[in-house]
């Protein structure tokens, strides 16, 4: 509604590999996937270095990393709505959310 009322432009971006670019803050282990299981050590587990799709920590790891980057680029988080990040200049207004 705001976009239409103020005649703003919308650009949408979907990062399909976003979760692979986060950083895990804790140690996470998973069972060996059946298609690459090591037959010499079938009971060993894999320690993840990066978040993967389906892992509960993945969205938070991605959000933390992109948030730090955006703050360095001059964006500010709204106090009333922390998931909205803004950047204003004299000629532009960018809202991420």
């Amino acid at each position: 509604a705001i976009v239409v009322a103020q005649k703003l432009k919308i650009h949408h971006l979907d990062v399909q590999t976003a979760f692979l670019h986060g950083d895990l803050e804790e140690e996470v282990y998973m069972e060996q996937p059946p298609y690459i299981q090591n037959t010499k050590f079938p009971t060993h587990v894999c320690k993840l270095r990066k978040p993967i799709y389906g892992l509960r920590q993945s969205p938070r790891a991605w959000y933390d990393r992109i948030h730090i980057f955006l703050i360095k680029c001059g964006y500010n988080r709204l106090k009333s709505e922390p998931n909205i990040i803004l950047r204003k200049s004299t000629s532009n207004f960018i809202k991420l959310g």
Side-chain angles (χ1 to χ4, degrees):
I2 294 171
V3 171
V4 173
Q6 296 184 6
K7 298 178 182 173
L8 301 174
K9 293 181 182 178
I10 292 180
H11 297 278
H12 174 77
L13 175 66
D14 185 15
V15 181
Q16 296 201 2
T17 59
F19 288 168
L20 300 177
H21 298 285
D23 294 315
L24 290 172
E25 293 190 17
E26 60 275 333
E27 289 187 359
V28 178
Y29 297 89
M30 64 178 268
E31 293 179 358
Q32 295 179 47
Y35 52 89
I36 58 168
Q37 193 168 39
N38 186 332
T39 54
K40 291 182 183 178
F41 306 102
T43 59
H44 284 202
V45 294
C46 301
K47 180 180 178 182
L48 297 179
R49 294 188 209 166
K50 292 286 189 179
I52 60 172
Y53 185 79
L55 185 67
R56 284 189 284 191
Q57 292 91 333
S58 296
R60 172 57 62 192
W62 161 247
Y63 179 80
D64 289 345
R65 183 152 185 198
I66 192 71
H67 179 257
I68 290 167
F69 173 77
L70 291 171
I71 296 300
K72 287 180 182 177
C73 291
Y75 288 80
N76 295 301
R77 179 186 261 177
L78 281 183
K79 291 179 183 177
S80 60
E81 181 58 55
N83 290 327
I84 304 289
I85 300 173
L86 300 173
R87 182 172 175 190
K88 295 179 187 179
S89 70
T90 55
S91 61
N92 290 318
F93 169 76
I94 300 172
K95 175 188 168 248
L96 305 172

